[in-house]
Structure formats: C-alpha cells, structure tokens
Amino acid sequence: MVGEASAGSIQLTLKNLSGRRKNVDALFYLEPILAKEENVSAHRAFEKLFLTAKTFNDGVVFSRREGRSTEKSSFAVCFGKDSEFELCLNRTELLKRPLGTSSLTENADFVPTKAEGEYFCPDLCFGGKTGIVLPPYSQKSVTLFFAY
C-alpha cells in the first residue's frame, strides 16, 4: 500500500489437552511485495528482485532498494515481547521444489535473530520460527506483528 500506513497482528494460540508436556515449533511464513499492483501483475518475480531485508533484535524490515522507485515503501515484521525466534529470509531455502509449501517443515537454514544485518537475495521471504513449551493441560499464544 503506497502512501498509506497500516498495522496488524496474527495471534496463534496452542492448547495442550494431553497429560504430557509438548514441545512445538510455530512457523510464520510470508512473502512481502512492495510494488504497485499493476507492476506485480505484469511480472511478480521481477518486482521481488529489488527488495532488501534489515534484521534487528526483534524482527525484520523489508524495503525497496534505493534507485528502483521513487515510492517509499517498507514492511516490518516482529514477534511479540519475550518470544525468541529463528529466521530464514530466503524463499528457495524454505520451499523445496517441487514440494512448495508442504516442504516448510523440512530443515531449512534458520538462524537466531540476535544479530543485526542487511540481506539481499533474489527471492526474499519471512520465515519466522519460534519454539513453544506447553505444560500438560495448558495453552500459550504467540503473536506476530506487522506494519506497512
């Protein structure tokens, strides 16, 4: 959305209905597109070539590379307070061909996000994974926040 600001969140609540402790990984996946709809419709993959990702302690900011457009646009993603998570920003590492989204549970190169840095690859995405420990007969929630 060019020229507009918006924010939101996605909350996942997990319940353990068993009498045993459960260790669960929650994975959030998205592909940011920061271009006008007509440009994306014309050539989606081409528009994704011009994105960068900057990681910081609590999340990621996706932006269009300088010089590509006069439009200023970015998309920020972060987990809620006290959520430790790992991150993968490369779509081809996360989605194994020809399996597509069914391969999201495979072992991709997730790395802890405590390091700050700037990343560019031709196919950026956000793959954020967090571990959740569920004691018997309990529930816990994890929240992903975003702004654009």
Side-chain angles (χ1 to χ4, degrees), residues 39-100:
N39 295 348
V40 174
S41 296
H43 203 297
R44 179 182 174 126
F46 181 74
E47 285 299 322
K48 288 183 72 179
L49 286 173
F50 303 101
L51 298 181
T52 62
K54 290 184 181 178
T55 61
F56 55 96
N57 198 27
D58 297 324
V60 181
V61 175
F62 294 94
S63 302
R64 294 186 61 73
R65 289 190 4 218
E66 290 184 33
R68 171 63 186 144
S69 171
T70 57
E71 303 165 12
K72 296 278 185 181
S73 56
S74 59
F75 183 81
V77 185
C78 67
F79 278 98
K81 185 177 156 184
D82 300 329
S83 290
E84 295 213 8
F85 65 101
E86 296 177 311
L87 182 65
C88 184
L89 296 174
N90 189 331
R91 183 174 148 316
T92 49
E93 285 183 18
L94 274 176
L95 300 177
K96 307 295 184 213
R97 295 184 190 267
L99 303 174

Side-chain angles (χ1 to χ4, degrees), residues 92-128:
T92 49
E93 285 183 18
L94 274 176
L95 300 177
K96 307 295 184 213
R97 295 184 190 267
L99 303 174
T101 55
S102 65
S103 67
L104 282 172
T105 57
E106 299 294 321
N107 293 329
D109 267 344
F110 283 91
V111 295
T113 57
K114 296 302 178 196
E116 295 185 7
E118 185 169 0
Y119 299 91
F120 168 76
C121 74
D123 214 355
L124 280 172
C125 74
F126 175 85

